[in-house]
């Protein structure tokens, strides 16, 4: 089967994008270069094409109550114009996907509550089918909100000023995880103050023609186009999870360091609740930790984690989920699952890299914070 292309494929190529396969899509991995794009977002502003992500609209009088049964986070803590990060769970308490839920409030007729979900590209088809199987029997409609539209991420310390210029309005009243409809240079856009970089920024959903025009306008104004490579190093510095690496169907949010998403005090049933209650009471056997390597060797996904001083041929105590050289910190950093007994800050470990045991230290996450 051929790779899917976003509406910005040709525009990305024209801007110098080097295209690679990703989650069934053909996406730009870099433009000017990974480090230059990374630093553009940390210091100024960058724009990412994230049109491969799935966007769903849920509608119905009981939309929030119905979705509540699928996630461990109390959705009634947010109201119209607000959003939250959460996870979809399976019966084992494992993570089907992570997502953002935007509360769009009751619609004009007062009969329909609307939620907007942004889900991962790799899980979009399975998520959509599963959510439909769970919610449509309850009278909740589940629709593809994006269709052939464009989803952009405008990220960096200059993102607010750039967006205010386009919108002709002050955005100081739009908080983190807030959202609203805005006119951007005359085009209607759904705007959420969310992102995946550890910087301030926005995610913008527009129809195809308006999205193409906005991309061109931003590039013409000097905003740097950025690819998947910089998106990965930025999110890793911020210790943000990537599905298929830190998160999967065999990992619970408590193991993944996402216990703050699990609201067991909420008197409502949700899929996987009993497993998380038992795990919360007994404690987890493994934890996700941040590692800094002591040399310049880079740990990659799947590399074995060893006890400090153990021979390189010894049985691993854990494994790396994500690793890279950090352009901001100029150090090798990684995320890894290790036994709970080895998760304490300051614990000395090692990573097996090209036949050598490279020393590593358990450190506080996130690695980088503005």
């Amino acid at each position: 089967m051929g790779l899917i292309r976003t509406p910005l494929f040709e525009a990305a190529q024209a801007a110098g994008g080097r295209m690679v396969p990703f989650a069934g899509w053909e996406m730009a991995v870099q433009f000017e270069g990974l480090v230059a794009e990374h630093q553009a977002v940390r210091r100024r502003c960058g724009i990412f094409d994230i049109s491969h992500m799935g966007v769903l609209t849920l509608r119905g009088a009981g939309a929030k109550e119905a979705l509540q049964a699928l996630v461990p986070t109390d959705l009634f803590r947010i109201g119209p114009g607000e959003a939250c990060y959460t996870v979809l769970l399976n019966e084992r308490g494992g993570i089907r996907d992570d997502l953002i839920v935007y509360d769009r409030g009751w619609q004009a007729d007062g009969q329909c509550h609307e939620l907007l979900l942004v889900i991962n590209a790799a899980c979009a088809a399975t998520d959509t089918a599963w959510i439909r199987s769970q919610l449509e029997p309850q009278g909740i409609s589940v629709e593809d909100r994006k269709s052939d539209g464009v989803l952009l991420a405008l990220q960096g310390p200059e993102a607010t000023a750039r967006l205010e210029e386009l919108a002709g309005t002050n955005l100081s009243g739009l908080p983190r995880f807030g959202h609203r409809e805005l006119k951007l240079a005359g085009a209607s856009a759904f705007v959420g103050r969310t992102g995946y970089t550890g910087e301030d920024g926005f995610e913008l959903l527009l129809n195809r023609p308006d999205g193409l025009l906005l991309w061109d306008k931003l590039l013409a104004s000097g905003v740097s186009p950025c690819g998947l490579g910089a998106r990965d190093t930025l999110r890793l510095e911020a210790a943000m999870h990537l599905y298929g690496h830190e998160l999967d169907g065999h990992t619970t949010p408590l193991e993944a360091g996402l216990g703050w998403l699990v609201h067991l005090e909420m008197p409502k049933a949700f899929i996987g609740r009993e497993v998380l209650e038992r795990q919360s009471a007994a404690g987890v056997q493994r934890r996700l930790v941040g590692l800094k390597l002591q040399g310049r060797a880079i740990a990659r996904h799947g590399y074995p984690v060893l006890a400090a001083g153990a021979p390189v041929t010894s049985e691993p105590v854990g494994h790396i989920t994500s690793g890279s050289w950090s352009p901001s910190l100029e150090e090798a950093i990684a995320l890894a699952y290790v036994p709970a007994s080895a998760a304490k800050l300051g614990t000395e470990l090692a990573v097996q890299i090209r036949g050598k045991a490279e020393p590593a230290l358990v450190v506080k996450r996130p690695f980088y914070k503005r």
Side-chain angles (χ1 to χ4, degrees):
M1 295 179 65
L3 296 172
I4 311 169
R5 293 175 173 178
T6 79
L8 288 166
F9 178 83
E10 288 82 7
Q13 278 193 317
R18 181 164 69 83
M19 315 307 283
V20 299
F22 179 79
W25 295 74
E26 193 169 5
M27 304 288 295
V29 66
Q30 65 180 45
F31 291 85
E32 181 183 356
L34 186 154
V35 173
E37 293 162 33
H38 181 109
Q39 299 294 17
V41 173
R42 288 280 180 254
R43 298 169 182 172
R44 300 182 302 280
C45 189
I47 187 75
F48 299 82
D49 175 20
I50 55 170
S51 304
H52 59 310
M53 304 284 283
V55 185
L56 301 177
T57 296
L58 311 186
R59 290 192 183 94
K64 187 179 281 191
E65 191 72 46
L67 183 62
Q68 183 66 81
L70 311 186
V71 302
T73 307
D74 186 355
L75 297 179
F76 290 86
R77 294 188 181 189
I78 63 169
E82 298 176 333
C84 67
Y85 172 70
T86 188
V87 288
L88 295 170
L89 298 180
N90 58 34
E91 297 288 353
R92 301 185 302 275
I95 298 171
R96 287 179 173 271
D97 197 8
D98 60 335
L99 70 158
I100 297 180
V101 179
Y102 299 85
D103 189 337
R104 302 266 287 153
W106 289 88
Q107 300 308 289
D109 60 7
Q111 303 297 311
C112 179
H113 195 165
E114 183 174 304
L115 302 173
L116 187 144
L117 314 183
V118 176
I119 54 183
N120 281 304
C123 306
T126 53
D127 280 358
T128 302
W130 186 72
I131 291 170
R132 282 182 170 146
S133 75
Q134 299 295 311
L135 302 191
E136 286 183 343
Q138 302 181 56
I140 309 302
S141 72
V142 181
E143 300 174 359
D144 177 4
R145 172 68 172 79
K146 178 170 63 70
S147 186
D148 69 341
V150 169
L151 188 60
L152 300 173
L154 182 66
Q155 302 283 298
E158 295 179 3
T160 300
R162 296 282 187 170
L163 201 62
E164 286 178 337
E165 183 180 350
L166 289 167
T169 188
N170 187 296
L171 296 176
S172 60
L174 184 63
R176 178 78 174 151
F177 278 82
H179 55 92
R180 66 174 66 159
E181 296 280 347
L182 288 176
K183 289 285 187 180
L184 301 179
S188 179
F190 174 82
V191 177
R193 198 161 199 161
T194 49
Y196 195 51
T197 63
E199 297 293 338
D200 188 18
F202 304 86
E203 294 179 328
L204 319 169
L205 179 62
L206 306 94
N207 64 37
R208 185 186 188 109
D210 290 339
L212 290 167
L213 288 173
L214 182 60
W215 170 271
D216 289 341
K217 186 180 289 289
L218 288 167
L219 264 59
S221 71
V223 175
S224 299
C226 300
L228 295 174
R231 185 169 164 84
D232 193 52
T233 54
L234 289 159
R235 71 92 192 168
L236 179 56
E237 286 186 346
M240 292 177 167
H241 301 69
L242 176 62
Y243 193 83
H245 287 242
E246 288 71 46
L247 308 177
D248 59 39
H250 301 285
T251 302
T252 73
L254 299 180
E255 294 168 329
L258 295 175
W260 56 278
L261 298 181
V262 180
H263 298 156
L264 294 175
E265 71 280 8
M266 171 181 64
K268 296 175 182 176
F270 58 83
I271 291 174
R273 178 175 183 128
E274 291 182 1
V275 175
L276 296 186
E277 286 177 335
R278 292 195 298 270
Q279 195 174 65
S280 179
V284 297
Q285 298 300 305
R286 62 173 187 149
R287 292 187 182 277
L288 185 70
V289 299
L291 296 177
K292 283 190 177 181
L293 278 75
Q294 305 306 292
R296 297 185 64 86
I298 297 174
R300 299 295 188 188
H301 174 73
Y303 282 15
V305 177
L306 310 173
V312 73
T313 56
S314 63
E315 186 72 20
V317 299
H319 67 278
I320 299 294
T321 57
S322 297
S324 178
W325 182 258
S326 163
S328 300
L329 306 175
E330 296 188 337
E331 295 179 286
I333 59 174
L335 295 171
Y337 279 105
V338 300
S341 59
K344 185 178 178 180
L345 296 181
T347 299
E348 295 181 355
L349 295 168
V351 183
Q352 186 186 117
I353 304 176
R354 292 187 294 276
K356 295 179 63 178
E358 300 287 351
L361 195 67
V362 176
V363 298
K364 187 177 180 179
R365 295 173 291 151
F367 304 100
Y368 165 93
K369 189 172 184 180
R370 173 162 294 279

